[in-house]
Amino acid sequence: MSATVKHELLNLVNTFTSEDGLNTSAIPALSFYRFTYTDMSMPSIYTPSLCIIVQGRKDVWLGKRVYTYGAMEFLIASVNLPIVGTVTEASVAKPYFVIQIDIDIKQLSELLLCMERPTVAKNKSEQGLFIGTVEEAMGESVVRLLKLLHKPEEIPVLADAMLREIYFRMLQSEYGDAIAQIALKGSSMQRISIAIQKLKNDFHQAISVDELADLSDMSTSSFHAHFKSVTNMSPLQFQKSIRLMEARNLMVSKDVDAATTAYRVGYESPSQFSREYARMFGNPPGRDIERLK
């Protein structure tokens, strides 16, 4: 990517981020993150999205696998995934900046119908995260989208077209075929995404692997293999991660005690909840929440 596009992206993101953490924008699908410090683990549930680091560096854990990406690299989450991210390069002088663009699966599917090169639904499941380099064309497309924030009266008319252009650049990347699978009805990736959505929505309920396999129209053994290919986790591990992240959010935002939270997210034993919470976040619930606050 040219120095000019890099400089424009950095200036634009700096303009539209006023504080550490999440910074929303007038374009609903577009948001920014800014951090001036490192070493804080940030568990969150990624929705399908494109994330571009403009400055800084980050480690992202999915299951037991770590992905690392830095300035002018992108991360695409193709399905809902429980992630633990750690910013590893940031300071007051050079904050960590990331652009997040939510992916509309319906729009992505409609775009595929317009492309000359047909994409076929595959039986093989791809990994749920992709990391690549932001090429010049994608960078220029993102710059145009961000500049639109200076002209709010034009957002209702032009934003969707600019987002569509960025989706097109994603599909033209080295991971284009894999990304397309999430929008192709009948692909293994699309069927696994249905099971993932079920686990995300009903994380507090007991859901058997057989039930998820039926929902995905797969045999139990096939479903288990495809699910692990996408998420780097078993369905049980995935649900546990969702429960614990939701529990942490509940205790921080609603000031609910650990025992009550354990039952609300689906645990039958507060002691088991406390052990698994400490294993994931490094501290038992009380100490962790006190540290966060």
Side-chain angles (χ1 to χ4, degrees), residues 6 14 47 71 112 116 118 156 199 244:
K6 291 179 183 177
N14 190 45
T47 55
L112 286 170
E116 287 186 12
L199 285 169
L244 292 171

Side-chain angles (χ1 to χ4, degrees), residues 30-46:
L30 172 67
S31 55
F32 309 95
Y33 283 89
R34 169 195 180 108
F35 287 101
T36 54
Y37 56 88
T38 61
D39 298 331
M40 175 68 78
S41 291
M42 296 173 288
S44 59
I45 300 168
Y46 278 30

Side-chain angles (χ1 to χ4, degrees), residues 22-238:
L22 172 66
N23 292 256
T24 58
S25 82
I27 300 173
L30 172 67
S31 55
F32 309 95
Y33 283 89
R34 169 195 180 108
F35 287 101
T36 54
Y37 56 88
T38 61
D39 298 331
M40 175 68 78
S41 291
M42 296 173 288
S44 59
I45 300 168
Y46 278 30
T47 55
S49 55
L50 166 69
C51 300
I52 297 173
I53 292 183
V54 178
Q55 185 169 267
R57 199 164 190 82
K58 187 177 187 180
D59 288 343
V60 173
W61 289 89
L62 176 60
K64 294 183 179 180
R65 181 173 178 182
V66 62
Y67 300 77
T68 298
Y69 71 127
M72 300 308 157
E73 292 183 315
F74 65 77
L75 177 148
I76 294 175
S78 58
V79 292
N80 295 299
L81 294 170
I83 300 292
V84 179
T86 303
V87 174
T88 58
E89 188 178 301
S91 66
V92 174
K94 293 185 69 174
Y96 165 88
F97 288 130
V98 70
I99 301 165
Q100 179 173 311
I101 298 171
D102 297 333
I103 299 173
D104 186 309
I105 303 300
K106 184 174 181 289
Q107 288 184 9
L108 191 64
S109 180
E110 291 169 352
L111 180 58
L112 286 170
L113 296 175
C114 303
M115 297 181 68
E116 287 186 12
R117 182 168 57 90
T119 306
V120 179
K122 297 179 181 178
N123 290 325
K124 180 184 177 183
S125 291
E126 304 282 352
Q127 60 183 346
L129 284 184
F130 312 96
I131 288 179
T133 302
V134 180
E135 302 293 346
E136 188 80 4
M138 180 184 282
E140 290 173 346
S141 297
V142 175
V143 165
R144 282 192 287 276
L145 179 69
L146 268 58
K147 282 183 174 179
L148 195 60
L149 294 173
H150 287 304
K151 300 177 179 180
E153 71 280 2
E154 297 183 3
I155 290 174
V157 179
L158 299 177
D160 281 350
M162 292 183 178
L163 288 167
R164 182 184 172 93
E165 180 184 347
I166 292 169
Y167 294 166
F168 176 74
R169 300 302 176 197
M170 284 168 35
L171 292 169
Q172 293 292 97
S173 75
E174 60 185 307
Y175 300 116
D177 282 345
I179 294 164
Q181 295 303 308
I182 65 175
L184 291 173
K185 188 172 178 60
S187 70
S188 292
M189 190 75 153
Q190 187 266 340
R191 287 185 283 164
I192 289 296
S193 72
I194 294 172
I196 286 174
Q197 191 64 42
K198 172 72 173 175
L199 285 169
K200 181 175 181 289
N201 292 342
D202 300 332
F203 64 88
H204 55 288
Q205 298 178 5
I207 306 171
S208 70
V209 175
D210 288 343
E211 181 182 350
L212 294 169
D214 286 343
L215 193 62
S216 305
D217 195 23
M218 295 179 178
S219 68
T220 301
S221 59
S222 178
F223 168 76
H224 202 282
H226 282 288
F227 191 95
K228 194 152 191 176
S229 293
V230 174
T231 67
N232 288 328
M233 290 178 252
S234 70
L236 181 61
Q237 290 169 329
F238 185 97

Side-chain angles (χ1 to χ4, degrees), residues 251-256 288-293:
M251 287 186 289
V252 170
S253 62
K254 304 292 186 181
D255 203 24
V256 182
D288 182 56
I289 300 307
E290 183 181 348
R291 181 180 64 90
L292 288 173
K293 290 181 176 180

